[in-house]
Amino acid sequence: MKTILAFREEEFAWSHEVFSCVHPLLLPLCNKPFIEFLIDFAILVGSTAVRILCDGGINPIERYCEDGSRWGIALSYGSLHGDDTAETLLGKNRKFCGEERIMIVSGFSFIRYDKRLNYKSLAGSLPEGEWAACPGGSITLSGAPEKPPADGAATPLSLMPLDGMASYYRASMEALETGADRYVLPGYGGEPGCAIGRNVVISKSAQIRKPVSIGNNVQLLGDTIIGPSAIIGSNVIIDRESSVESSIVLDNTYIGEQLEVIGRIASGNRLNDPRSGASISMEDPHLLGSIKKSQTLSALPRKVAHALAALVMISVLAVPFLFLWPLLKLGGRWRSAQIDCHSENPGETISLGKVELDATNALGATASTLSLDRYFRLFRVLTAELALIGSTPLPAEEPHPNAPANALAYRPGVFSYAEAEQWPATGGDAAIVERYHLVHSGPISDIGLVVKAFVNRPHEKSSA
Amino acid sequence: MKFTLDNIDGQLVGIAELEGRLDARNSKPLQKTFLEWLEKTPLVVFDCSLLDFIDSSGLGAIVGCLRNALEKEGDVRLAGLNEKVGMVFELTQAKRLFSIFANRGEAASSFAVKPDPGTGR
Amino acid sequence: MSSIITLTLPGDPLFTEVARQTTTSVASLLTGENHSASDETQFVHDFELAVSEAFTNSVKYAGEHDTPPTVTLTFELEKQRLTVSLLDANSPFSIDTPAPDIESYPENGYGLWIIRRVMDSVTYRREGNSNIISMSKTL
Amino acid sequence: MIITETSANGIVIVALEGNLDALSAPKLRGSPPVADPKTTVVLDLEKVGFMDSSGLGAIVGAAREKSDPACGIVLSCMNDKVRRTFETTNAQRLFHIFDDTAAAVDFAATRQIART
C-alpha cells in the first residue's frame, strides 16, 4: 500500500492571506502541522511510501518533511497539472505506484480518524473507488482489493474541508479536545488533555485549565489564565493577567497585559475572529496593555536616559576604541558597510554602519568583547535616531514587522532586548521578547538591560 | 462629528455620531469637544455605526469621555459597534466599562428607564 | 569564523561551469549543527543556481570592450551565512525584474527572478563603472 | 551535454545527459524533433544534473512553438533539483510531468491519436 497526497493551491489560498508566516500545509492543528496528520493516517493504513503532489511550489514542505525517514517511510514530492484526475495521477506516478494499491488523499481537508482502530485491513479489503469524501476533498483507493472483505467492524472515517478560518478553528479544537487518544500528538506527557513543550516557563500564579496544548519556548506570566480549550504555539509570551480561552495563539505571538482572548485566533500581531472573519492588529503597544493602566509614559524621559547612558559609554569606551580601531582597520580586521534599516517612524529608513569584526586575534577579541563594532552607532542615540536598547534594526528590504502604518511596537536600538535576554534571536523569535520589553521598558529598566546586553553579547558572539 | 440633542421622556440625551477612524490624530479633539457637549447633558450616546477603525488612543479617548461623564453623574453608552471595533473593546476588556446597544435608538431609550439603584454599574 | 575567497574569471560561457562548481564547494563548507541534510543540500543548490544565473547574465551582457571582459566572484563565509557578490564592467542594470508571466511561455527573463526567489537577500550597487550584485542566504 | 533520440510507438524520446545551461540550451532548442511544431516529444531529464534559466527557457520556448503547447513536450524522470527550478517560476504548470518515460510515451501516444 502506498499513498499519494494531492493538493491544489487554490484550495488553501485563503490560509496564505490570513496566516502569511506559515505554509498552509504546515499550518498547526492543535500542536502538529497539518501535513503530519495525513502522513500518520497514511502509515495507519499501512503505507510504506508517501508522495506529496501540488500544482504550486512545496519547498517549505520538502524542507520540513525531508525524505520521511523521521516516520520510517519513503517520502517523495512531485508536481500536479491543473486538470489532473485521480486516474491521470496514477499514470504520472507509475514508477512510484508500481503494482501496489494506492490511496489518493486529495483536497485541503482534515481527516477524522481514530488511531486505535484497524484501518489497515479495511483499506486492503475495500473495493476500488471512493472511501470517504467531503466538499473539495476525497480519499479514493485504486486497484483491486488485496484481501477478502473484512468483517464490517465499524471504523469511522470522515473528512472536513479546511476552507476558511472557521473550519480551521473547528478542526483545531476537535484535535485538541479528542486529544491524544485519537491522534498521534507530541508532548502529551502525564496528564491527559494537557500537552506542554520544551522550555516553557509558567508563573506560579498562572492557571492552566485543560484541555490545553502549549508549544516550545513559551512564557506564561503572573495571573494568566490559559484554557479551557487553548492552543498556544511556540515562541509565545502571554503577559500578566491575560486570559486565553477557546482560542488559538499561533507561533511567534505576543499577547499583552490584562487582555481577554476568547474564541479568537491570534497570529503574529493579528487577532482574528474565526466566525465573522474580522481581524484587528495588535502591534499598537498600548492596545497590548489594558486601558485601565494609564499608558501615558511619554517618550521624553526614556530618550533622555538613553542619551545620557550613551554619552557615558562613548566616553568610557573612547580610549580602547581610539587605540584598537586604527590597528584593526589597518590589519584588515575591521570591515564596515552601510545598510539601510527601518527607522522608528514607519516609511522612513536610516543608514547604519554594519561592522564585520574579525575576532580571531587578541585585539579583535577585546574589541568585540567591548562591543566596539557598535561604537559609531552610540552617537545616533544622542540624536535620538536610535534607542540605546530596543529592537534589532531591520534591513529596509525586508518587510516591516508591523506592515500597517502605525508601527509603534518597533524601535531600533544599538543593542537589542533579544541580545540582553539571549532569547533565540532567529527571525520571529527575537521579535517576541522585543515586543514584550517595548511595552514594559521604562528608562531605569532599559539601562539595566543595556548592561545585560553588553555582557551577554560577547558571550553570544563567541558561541555563535 | 455630528452631535444632536434628543428628548427621551423628559430626559435630555445627546447623540454623537463617530465616523471613519478614531486614532491618535483625532482622539484629542474628541475629548475636547465632548466637554462642550457635557455642558448640555451628562447623558450621551456614541453612535458608532459609521466608525470603522479604532486604535488604543481612540479607545483611551472614549474611556476618558466616560470618566468625565461619570463625574457629572452622567454616562456614555455605545451603539452600533461593528465587529472590528467590538473586537478592540472585547480584547482590552474595555467593554466592561460600557453598556453597549445594537443601535442608537435602544441606547437613547435606555436612559429613559430610571436606572435601578441596586444594579447601578 | 569569517573568511573571504575571491575568484576572477574571464567573462566567457565556458567558465560558467567553473563558477558553478566553485560555488557548490564553497557553499558545502557551511554546515550547521542543528540543520538537516536536506537543508544543507538545498542551501548548496540555491547558491549553485543563483551564481550560475548571475554569471550567465554577466557573460551575456558583456558587450564590446577593448580589454576582454572578466567577472570577479567574492565569497564571504560567516558561521551560518554565505554572501556571494559578482563584479563586472557591464552597463548598469536593475534587479527588480517582474515575475515571468508563465502562461505566455516566455523563453527568457527568468534569471534575476530566480535569484531573488532562492536567495534571502539580493542587492545591487554601482561602483565606478562596475556592477556589484551581492546575494546572501542564511542556513 | 549529450542528446540521444529514440522513438517508441510513434513518439520521439529525447534523452538529455549532463548540464542544461547557457552553453547546452541552444543545442536542445535547435534539435529537429524539439524544434518541429508538429512532433510530440517526450523529454527524458533523468540524467540532467543541473538546469538553469537558459535550459528552462529552451524547454518552455520550444513548447510554445508546438501546435499544441500543453502536450507538445511531455517531461519525464525529473529529479528534485530540476523540479525546484521549474517550481521557482511556476513553469511546472505548463507541462504534463511523468516519473516514468514509458508512461509519458503512452500519454503522448493517446494525445497524438486524439489529435490526428
Side-chain angles (χ1 to χ4, degrees), chain B residues 37-87:
Chain B
W37 298 342
L38 218 47
E39 302 308 327
K40 302 193 180 79
T41 167
L43 307 178
V44 178
V45 166
F46 277 175
D47 177 357
C48 307
S49 42
L50 298 174
L51 182 67
D52 49 39
F53 175 83
I54 185 168
D55 71 1
S56 62
S57 9
L59 189 63
I62 292 184
V63 170
C65 295
L66 172 66
R67 208 172 293 124
N68 297 338
L70 292 175
E71 276 151 19
K72 290 215 163 64
E73 311 301 323
D75 191 5
V76 169
R77 296 181 183 174
L78 308 178
L81 297 183
N82 70 20
E83 261 136 21
K84 275 173 78 121
V85 174
M87 276 173 82

Side-chain angles (χ1 to χ4, degrees), chain B residues 72-117:
Chain B
K72 290 215 163 64
E73 311 301 323
D75 191 5
V76 169
R77 296 181 183 174
L78 308 178
L81 297 183
N82 70 20
E83 261 136 21
K84 275 173 78 121
V85 174
M87 276 173 82
V88 173
F89 275 80
E90 280 156 23
L91 173 65
T92 59
Q93 305 177 44
K95 81 172 179 313
R96 293 222 178 85
L97 309 174
F98 294 93
S99 327
I100 300 177
F101 298 84
N103 55 55
R104 61 197 263 166
E106 280 172 32
S109 47
S110 70
F111 278 119
V113 171
K114 282 282 158 294
D116 163 1

